[in-house]
Amino acid sequence: MNAARGLLISLNSAPKTHLPGKPALHSNSRPPPFPSCPCRSSHLRRIHGGSASIWRARWGRVLADVKSDTVESAPDSARLDQALPTDDGAAADFPWWEEFPKRWVIVLLCFSAFLLCNMDRVNMSIAILPMASEYNWSPTTVGLIQSSFFWGYLLTQIAGGIWADTVGGKFVLGFGVVWWSVATILTPVAANLGLPFLLVVRAFMGIGEGVAMPAMNTILSKWVPVSERSRSLALVYSGMYLGSVTGLAFSPMLIHKFGWPSVFYSFGSLGTVWLALWLNKAHSSPAEDPQLLPAEKKLIVSNCISKQPAKSIPWKLILSKPPVWALIVSHFCHNWGTFILLTWMPTYYHQVLKFNLTESGLFSVFPWLTMAFSANLGGWIADTLVSRGVSVTMVRKMMQTVGFLGPAFFLTQLSHIDSPAMAVLCMACSQGTDAFSQSGLYSNHQDIAPRYSGVLLGLSNTAGVLAGVFGTATTGYILQHGSWDNVFEVSVGLYLVGTVVWNLFSTGEKIID
């Protein structure tokens, strides 16, 4: 202790010059400052590490590492934990974003990517109403256009997972956002050229969005500790729900003021802003980030199961596991109902509840807002249960059972409701309980096969996309020959099948190393 005090005092009395590569400790300073350098705050960063207060150069070299009990016993003139004085003598604290956990920066960037993802996807569900009137499309043609997105989306699920697991999620997710943004901007041009061109552009948009979920899953499996998994995934997926909210809320206003093409031009251009942030801040794994603080890197590495990229994919092993097939079947059952609501909800409000275009868009917002809230609530509940000793298997089964039976119950009530307000409330409750799936099957890929989580998500989401392709197109056919009650009955039946399969065969334990 005395030796440490003597060292600090002797350093404090050192010449106060700004020598290259040899910064000196000074009195009344928190880090070793550069007294004559006006940019001294840019040289240093504080690292909080338990009882240690560490300051390092921004290029990564540690300049001082002094235990707090040593600092407290040193004279005030030699303390390292005081505020760094500015040129006018005022204390200068470093901005909060300098110490914000980098893993949550990655999570927020993934959240914003999924926000754009659904904004660009759901704008068609609003724009299709004036487009159908302008081009004289039948309900079957509308269903074909809505489902064409899933043709491309289907193609890149497994490929995107393999690509992300072997190359890295940063490049793959960046590629996806650029690709679907360009396709969104080209949609009005394709519609004017003719139906075949529109179908191709919508399929191209699906190609870009198809790689997003596998790439995100791969990135988070390397960045987020197990104890934060449900919350991080719930936050990212709530970006999809808020993207639906934003798209459904702003599309009618843009259409009324500037015409339906403006929706595609304005939403698609937002991808460039996201890309600039992504290229500057994101890395595929903590090992690739030179600015990651040592304390956070240690936390991530010691608590993340997936550390090394996959060199090859053990397809035979993966496909031989019953929990993998439980994921695939459950994903299909879940997405059938979810994608129908995503693409056809404004039409339901317009045809059945007699809402106009603006009302259809605005009332479609409430179920997605409910999902955004419920997803994060479910994530918090799931992580809390796991931290209190409840098995991951039990937590995943509980959350997914709510995600299946909740929507099934509320959809059965729609045929008995005459009030538009109650119908909207029923839709909101259906979607809200559906969002608990983010802490169920959507978190399970990282549980059972963390190293191959991107591939596994691509595999199960392929089944989910098939549900979107067949479900969206089938809904158009059913509505031309039947009623909305028939549409909901099919969804409820699949929810019940998914509940049985999930509870019989799923697990929360790692089964593939």
Side-chain angles (χ1 to χ4, degrees):
M1 183 71 70
N2 292 331
R5 183 184 297 113
L7 175 61
L8 287 171
I9 295 173
S10 65
L11 287 173
N12 187 51
S13 63
K16 299 176 176 56
T17 56
H18 189 171
L19 297 177
K22 294 183 179 181
L25 283 172
H26 292 264
S27 60
N28 300 322
S29 63
R30 194 164 38 164
F34 298 81
S36 61
C37 179
C39 62
R40 61 181 179 267
S41 63
S42 67
H43 291 298
L44 303 169
R45 173 180 289 168
R46 186 176 185 181
I47 307 168
H48 294 291
S51 62
S53 180
I54 306 170
W55 287 86
R56 74 173 185 181
R58 290 196 178 275
W59 48 87
R61 185 180 56 176
V62 175
L63 298 180
D65 185 353
V66 184
K67 295 295 181 181
S68 60
D69 58 350
T70 302
V71 173
E72 290 170 1
S73 63
D76 289 343
S77 61
R79 286 176 63 97
L80 299 180
D81 60 343
Q82 293 176 0
L84 176 67
T86 60
D87 293 332
D88 59 3
D93 287 326
F94 288 97
W96 61 269
W97 58 84
E98 293 288 347
E99 299 175 358
F100 190 76
K102 186 61 181 287
R103 63 190 183 278
W104 284 98
V105 172
I106 301 296
V107 170
L108 289 174
L109 285 171
C110 291
F111 163 87
S112 59
F114 277 49
L115 181 80
L116 294 178
C117 177
N118 263 34
M119 282 178 63
D120 290 341
R121 187 188 301 182
V122 304
N123 55 14
M124 177 59 85
S125 65
I126 297 293
I128 198 72
L129 298 175
M131 291 173 73
S133 176
E134 180 177 335
Y135 296 109
N136 297 315
W137 291 332
S138 68
T140 301
T141 302
V142 170
L144 182 65
I145 294 170
Q146 297 278 41
S147 67
S148 63
F149 166 87
F150 297 105
W151 304 345
Y153 196 68
L154 175 65
L155 292 176
T156 51
Q157 290 299 310
I158 298 176
I162 296 172
W163 198 14
D165 282 345
T166 54
V167 175
K170 176 182 178 177
F171 176 79
V172 178
L173 185 55
F175 162 82
V177 173
V178 171
W179 188 279
W180 86 57
S181 297
V182 171
T184 300
I185 293 172
L186 292 177
T187 299
V189 178
N192 287 327
L193 291 175
L195 181 61
F197 293 95
L198 179 60
L199 296 177
V200 170
V201 168
R202 292 298 292 175
F204 266 66
M205 181 181 173
I207 288 174
E209 294 205 1
V211 303
M213 288 179 66
M216 176 277 300
N217 217 38
T218 297
I219 292 173
L220 295 194
S221 71
K222 293 175 172 58
W223 273 96
V224 179
V226 175
S227 60
E228 298 174 357
R229 178 173 297 162
S230 294
R231 280 172 290 172
S232 64
L233 285 170
L235 179 60
V236 170
Y237 283 117
S238 69
M240 296 180 68
Y241 308 143
L242 292 177
S244 297
V245 169
T246 306
L248 293 170
F250 284 96
S251 292
M253 293 185 284
L254 289 170
I255 290 172
H256 278 302
K257 193 164 186 177
F258 303 106
W260 62 263
S262 65
V263 174
F264 301 99
Y265 295 141
S266 57
F267 285 10
S269 63
L270 293 175
T272 57
V273 179
W274 179 90
L275 182 64
L277 291 171
W278 182 250
L279 294 177
N280 185 47
K281 297 293 184 182
H283 295 274
S284 294
S285 69
E288 299 177 16
D289 190 345
Q291 295 182 332
L292 183 64
L293 301 182
E296 185 177 9
K297 186 173 184 179
K298 181 180 179 181
L299 171 68
I300 294 171
V301 171
S302 61
N303 289 279
C304 276
I305 299 175
S306 178
K307 301 178 179 67
Q308 300 298 325
K311 296 181 179 179
S312 61
I313 310 300
W315 289 108
K316 185 175 181 180
L317 177 63
I318 290 173
L319 295 176
S320 67
K321 301 294 184 179
V324 171
W325 287 101
L327 262 177
I328 293 171
V329 173
S330 297
H331 212 145
F332 180 92
C333 296
H334 172 267
N335 277 27
W336 183 284
T338 299
F339 278 130
I340 286 175
L341 293 178
L342 175 68
T343 53
W344 285 96
M345 191 188 305
T347 304
Y348 172 79
Y349 287 160
H350 183 66
Q351 291 181 352
V352 178
L353 304 183
K354 306 304 180 184
F355 293 153
N356 60 35
L357 178 65
T358 302
E359 291 171 337
S360 295
L362 292 178
F363 280 109
S364 296
V365 162
F366 291 110
W368 299 108
L369 278 175
T370 307
M371 290 185 83
F373 172 78
S374 298
N376 288 283
L377 174 63
W380 178 82
I381 292 173
D383 281 346
T384 300
L385 291 174
V386 171
S387 67
R388 292 184 178 179
V390 180
S391 72
V392 177
T393 299
M394 180 61 68
V395 171
R396 298 291 179 246
K397 288 186 176 182
M398 289 169 53
M399 304 306 284
Q400 190 55 50
T401 298
V402 175
F404 277 143
L405 295 185
F409 171 77
F410 288 108
L411 288 180
T412 58
Q413 305 306 305
L414 284 173
S415 59
H416 308 296
I417 292 175
D418 297 324
S419 165
M422 289 301 297
V424 171
L425 178 61
C426 226
M427 281 283 195
C429 291
S430 173
Q431 294 291 82
T433 50
D434 176 282
F436 278 74
S437 299
Q438 310 310 332
S439 301
L441 74 88
Y442 281 94
S443 295
N444 196 231
H445 308 84
Q446 295 182 32
D447 294 328
I448 66 176
R451 181 171 295 183
Y452 308 103
S453 58
V455 171
L456 193 56
L457 179 59
L459 189 63
S460 73
N461 206 35
T462 297
V465 175
L466 287 173
V469 172
F470 294 127
T472 305
T474 301
T475 298
Y477 177 82
I478 292 175
L479 291 177
Q480 199 161 356
H481 300 87
S483 67
W484 279 98
D485 288 344
N486 303 130
V487 172
F488 296 140
E489 286 167 1
V490 175
S491 297
V492 169
L494 288 172
Y495 280 138
L496 296 178
V497 170
T499 303
V500 174
V501 171
W502 183 257
N503 282 281
L504 286 178
F505 300 108
S506 68
T507 182
E509 305 302 320
K510 185 169 71 170
I511 59 173
I512 304 172
D513 194 358

